[in-house]
Amino acid sequence: MVGLVFLTFFVMSLLTNILGPIIPDIISSFGVNLAAAGLLPLCFFIAYGVMSIPAGFWVERFTEKPVMIAAFLAGTIGALTFALFPRYHIALPSLFVIGAGMATLQVAINPLLRVSGGEENFAFNSAFAQLIFGTASFASPRIYSYLVENLGKPSAHVNLLLRMLAKITPPALPWASIYWIFAACTLLMIVVLIFLRFPRVQRTEEESVGSLRMYGSLLRKPMVWAFFLCVFAYVGCEQGTADWASKFLAQYHGYDPHTTGATAVSWFWGMLTVGCFIGMGLLKLFDSRKVLIGFCCGALLCLTAALFGPARLSLVAFPAIGLFASIMWPVLVSLGLNSVSEHHGPFAGILSTGIMGGAVVPWIIGRIGDYAGLRVGGAFLYITFACVLSVGFWAKPIITNATILKKGETVAAGAQA
């Protein structure tokens, strides 16, 4: 069961983090502008805003197994629809359906991981799951590059997979073949789920979806809105960088988006994964707010180098942003949850809804890019990174993170409560 959860994380990441590499192909294949291309991540990530809280109610009502099957079925339908009909107007609803499935899976699998692996192993298993997620994010652009580079070559006839994909993929759209891979992966997951028995999950307070009254109580607090907006800004930073890096490198420095651009996006996710381990060590030494400030400053420096530096520096700086963005999500969520004394489950649902920042920010970048150039559009990330940076100065958690200097004891910030 733990292996199933890890496999679920892997498949989720494959489908989630491919948009950056294919955006240059979307623009050239369908003849759309930057803002129209930005609608693709908007449709995908807006589903997180729509589905995160309802999915929690569904899991509590129907349990994990049927909800996960339905979520993977949505992923299969979305991927298969676009693979069969690779058109821009088909891509938008297809990506929304895929995003809805992935949002639902994210809500279902964390409690399942806690119960199946044991509470005493939950922290380790959660960290390992993030490693699996990052590994798939690193691999997904490379699978795309392999398909685009080899699908039309004569040598493809020797490879059974390439030969099959060549028969069902339009020759002018070799990049669309990756959605056949996604459809096969999600369909296989459905088959696996059908034959597995699931443990009974007793949800903790942090995992419980809560009641509408609890949501109303939380939404009346300005602090809750502040953390929601900063989570919104962070996911916008992450996806805004990953979605436009390849296009930027092609437009300003002439790098091939199928190879060099896709590799840069791959390394962005790879560095984000590496940064998680570095951040875990630093969080054992320093207050999480100070670590957040330091990493945000590093991300802003890398963003400057990526947007305004020469070609070679830009090629390195875009992945380096991932290194510094790595700890922002866990620190933001932990600071938020540690800032309230009750209703942690509903608050976590509100914070997860902020994932739709990955929908809005890339579209804003594309919209600005159509009028003033992608470099100016990318500069919008200064605003979103500044929002995340601000948390390090105004957050007042009831409990601060334990560090070695505190001898493992959490310190109640009574004066700040």
Side-chain angles (χ1 to χ4, degrees), residues 2 38 60 111 172 177 192 219 230 257 262 293 300 314 345 348 356 360 381 412:
V2 173
E60 289 195 352
S177 61
V192 172
L219 291 174
C230 289
I293 291 171
L300 287 168
S314 182
M356 64 182 176
V360 178
L381 293 173

Side-chain angles (χ1 to χ4, degrees), residues 5-222:
V5 174
F6 290 158
L7 185 59
T8 300
F9 270 105
F10 187 89
V11 175
M12 285 173 57
S13 183
L14 279 181
L15 273 68
T16 299
N17 296 318
I18 193 58
L19 291 174
I22 70 172
I23 277 182
D25 281 314
I26 292 284
I27 294 171
S28 60
S29 298
F30 299 142
V32 298
N33 59 20
L34 300 181
L39 286 175
L40 299 175
L42 188 148
C43 287
F44 185 92
F45 283 98
I46 204 71
Y48 277 83
V50 174
M51 297 299 298
S52 290
I53 293 175
F57 286 104
W58 295 340
V59 171
E60 289 195 352
R61 173 67 178 84
F62 301 107
T63 71
E64 285 74 12
K65 182 174 179 176
V67 171
M68 289 178 68
I69 291 174
F72 275 119
L73 181 61
T76 303
I77 292 172
L80 193 59
T81 300
F82 185 69
L84 287 169
F85 308 102
R87 307 285 188 274
Y88 176 78
H89 66 279
I90 297 294
L92 299 178
S94 295
L95 286 171
F96 178 84
V97 172
I98 295 172
M102 299 307 102
T104 303
L105 284 171
Q106 182 162 296
V107 172
I109 58 178
N110 282 317
L112 186 61
L113 180 61
R114 176 182 58 80
V115 171
S116 59
E119 292 193 11
E120 68 279 9
N121 299 316
F122 186 48
F124 175 84
N125 286 336
S126 295
F128 193 77
Q130 290 304 313
L131 176 62
I132 296 292
F133 191 90
T135 301
S137 300
F138 182 78
S140 190
R142 293 174 180 269
I143 297 172
Y144 151 84
S145 292
Y146 173 79
L147 293 175
V148 172
E149 288 293 298
N150 293 281
L151 204 55
K153 292 182 178 180
S155 58
H157 296 290
V158 180
N159 186 306
L160 178 61
L161 174 63
L162 293 178
R163 190 164 66 246
M164 292 173 58
L165 289 174
K167 292 180 179 179
I168 55 180
T169 304
L173 304 173
W175 55 272
S177 61
I178 197 166
Y179 279 91
W180 287 107
I181 303 294
F182 293 162
C185 289
T186 51
L187 186 60
L188 180 61
M189 290 299 298
I190 293 173
V191 174
V192 172
L193 287 169
I194 289 173
F195 290 100
L196 281 179
R197 293 187 62 184
F198 276 52
R200 183 174 178 83
V201 176
Q202 294 290 341
R203 303 174 80 83
T204 65
E205 180 193 357
E206 288 74 17
E207 296 163 349
S208 175
V209 70
S211 64
L212 294 177
R213 181 186 59 81
M214 294 177 183
Y215 286 101
S217 173
L218 287 168
L219 291 174
R220 287 192 290 270
K221 298 179 179 181

